Amino acid sequence: MDLSKALKEYRMEIENRDPKAARTVKNYIIDVTAYLEYLKEKGFDDIQKVKYRDIESYILSIDHYSRNTIARKSCAIRSFHQFLNFKYDFNNPSLNLEVRRGKKALPVYCTIEEINQLMDSFNDEVPNECFQHAMLEFIYACGLRVSECVHLTLNRVDLNTNMVRVLGKGDKERIVPIPDESRNILLRYFDTVRPVWNKRGSNLFFVNHFGKHITTEYVESVLRYKCNELGFTKHVTPHKLRHSFATHLLQGDADLRAIQELLGHSNIETTEIYTHVQENRLKQSYAKFHPGNKEGDDDDEI
């Protein structure tokens, strides 16, 4: 099979697999395309001729990237060859490909004061601002992924019992409570804005003023505009609102297992990154306030 056809088949497969993982799909397509361009430059015209040493040669050619980026590209290549092996019974040359990730960076999050400043900046009397406020409030208050927010359907949100059934990655469902303080803005949007905008009869919870679904890029642009308006120096994204949700729960002494369930993490190790945020905060407090600590001594260790 020629390289172009192999890429086309793979693209069709993963684009239809999980619409909520659009960002991952986009990155995988970019990574596999770059890999196939490398193979083409090396004279390959048939994907079945690729051997492990060829993949290894490609990985060595991109060693200027960070370890995490190389790990993601390696995952994309494995996914590509696994698909061809499963669908066409081609030999899988990526079986021995190792994925070595670097140390995970601590998640960036907003303080409670910054969250309050962000949410208070909207004029809820204006329909569009009410809509945008409700959207960002839902992401933060329930720890949603931005893709989960834009695909949220009416039947999954119960504003009477303050519960939302979130359909996450891999179509795994989790139930998340809606805080009482967040319910007011969600009700305001739902009762006053959505009925006017939803002329097309969409079953999505969030629709724009044309009655159409919103995109993850739109949510990102709204948040970026607001943060610039407020003069935030942090690079705040919708996913960092989710980080803020988890961090604030941990700071409030929430159980780590409970946070795992609320975030929809399959592995507790993914959730444990937030304990390092807490530990880092404690170290900073110690370095700043402990009477026996010399000024500046601990700067390199925090």
Side-chain angles (χ1 to χ4, degrees):
M1 179 183 290
D2 67 67
L3 306 189
S4 298
K5 183 178 180 182
L7 176 61
K8 182 179 179 181
E9 293 281 325
Y10 178 66
R11 181 195 294 269
M12 290 174 59
E13 165 68 17
I14 66 170
E15 284 182 343
N16 294 324
R17 189 180 297 168
D18 188 354
K20 295 180 289 300
R23 188 182 297 269
T24 301
V25 168
K26 180 181 178 181
N27 286 335
Y28 270 34
I29 292 297
I30 291 171
D31 293 338
V32 172
T33 300
Y35 164 62
L36 294 180
E37 286 175 354
Y38 170 86
L39 293 178
K40 192 176 294 184
E41 289 174 1
K42 294 297 180 180
F44 284 91
D45 57 1
D46 186 344
I47 197 64
Q48 296 181 78
K49 295 179 181 178
V50 177
K51 307 296 182 185
Y52 173 73
R53 63 176 178 271
D54 303 311
I55 300 176
E56 191 175 41
S57 175
Y58 172 69
I59 297 299
L60 288 173
S61 75
I62 59 171
D63 65 354
H64 55 284
Y65 287 110
S66 69
R67 288 182 65 182
N68 285 336
T69 300
I70 293 173
R72 190 199 69 214
K73 290 177 178 293
S74 298
C75 286
I77 292 169
R78 284 202 313 190
S79 168
F80 171 66
H81 282 292
Q82 285 170 355
F83 160 71
L84 294 175
N85 172 256
F86 177 79
K87 186 167 184 179
Y88 298 104
D89 200 29
F90 290 173
N91 180 53
N92 184 356
S94 68
L95 284 175
N96 295 321
L97 181 62
E98 295 184 11
V99 177
R100 296 192 181 97
R101 295 189 182 277
K103 184 179 179 182
K104 284 190 175 182
L106 294 180
V108 175
Y109 65 96
C110 297
T111 64
I112 294 175
E113 291 74 18
E114 288 168 336
I115 291 292
N116 289 337
Q117 187 181 355
L118 172 64
M119 300 306 173
D120 290 344
S121 68
F122 291 95
N123 180 0
D124 296 335
E125 299 294 329
V126 178
N128 198 49
E129 291 202 38
C130 176
F131 157 65
Q132 293 174 348
H133 182 186
M135 186 175 61
L136 296 183
E137 181 75 37
F138 218 156
I139 291 173
Y140 165 71
C142 296
L144 303 181
R145 299 178 178 92
V146 63
S147 57
E148 294 169 345
C149 176
V150 302
H151 289 100
L152 195 61
T153 53
L154 280 178
N155 64 321
R156 294 189 168 276
V157 183
D158 191 335
L159 295 177
N160 292 317
T161 61
N162 284 11
M163 301 296 287
V164 55
R165 292 184 296 116
V166 185
L167 196 62
K169 286 185 176 180
D171 287 337
K172 290 182 293 186
E173 186 178 84
R174 66 186 190 275
I175 298 177
V176 182
I178 301 171
D180 289 336
E181 292 181 358
S182 303
R183 182 173 180 268
N184 291 336
I185 183 59
L186 295 177
L187 270 176
R188 187 183 189 97
Y189 157 74
F190 185 74
D191 290 341
T192 65
V193 179
R194 190 180 181 281
V196 177
W197 286 3
N198 191 31
K199 301 299 185 183
R200 297 169 177 262
S202 172
N203 71 330
L204 292 171
F205 187 81
F206 287 112
V207 294
N208 63 20
H209 62 284
F210 295 112
K212 296 182 177 180
H213 69 89
I214 57 174
T215 64
T216 57
E217 290 78 11
Y218 172 76
V219 182
E220 289 167 355
S221 68
V222 169
L223 187 54
R224 184 167 56 249
Y225 175 83
K226 269 295 175 183
C227 288
N228 288 336
E229 181 185 83
L230 294 169
F232 286 2
T233 56
K234 290 176 183 173
H235 177 54
V236 183
T237 64
H239 204 70
K240 289 182 176 66
L241 295 183
R242 177 172 154 90
H243 287 326
S244 304
F245 163 82
T247 304
H248 296 163
L249 284 177
L250 189 64
Q251 289 174 349
D253 295 328
D255 178 74
L256 197 63
R257 288 285 182 185
I259 297 175
Q260 177 191 4
E261 291 294 324
L262 292 172
L263 291 174
H265 287 161
S266 300
N267 194 326
I268 189 66
E269 291 180 3
T270 308
T271 318
E272 283 174 348
I273 187 67
Y274 297 104
T275 64
H276 299 307
V277 173
Q278 187 81 329
E279 289 166 4
N280 197 48
R281 191 172 66 91
L282 291 172
K283 286 180 182 179
Q284 289 174 335
S285 297
Y286 170 83
K288 184 175 182 181
F289 297 113
H290 194 282
N293 187 49
K294 293 181 181 179
E295 186 177 355
D297 280 357
D298 284 287
D299 286 352
D300 293 336
E301 297 186 16
I302 294 174

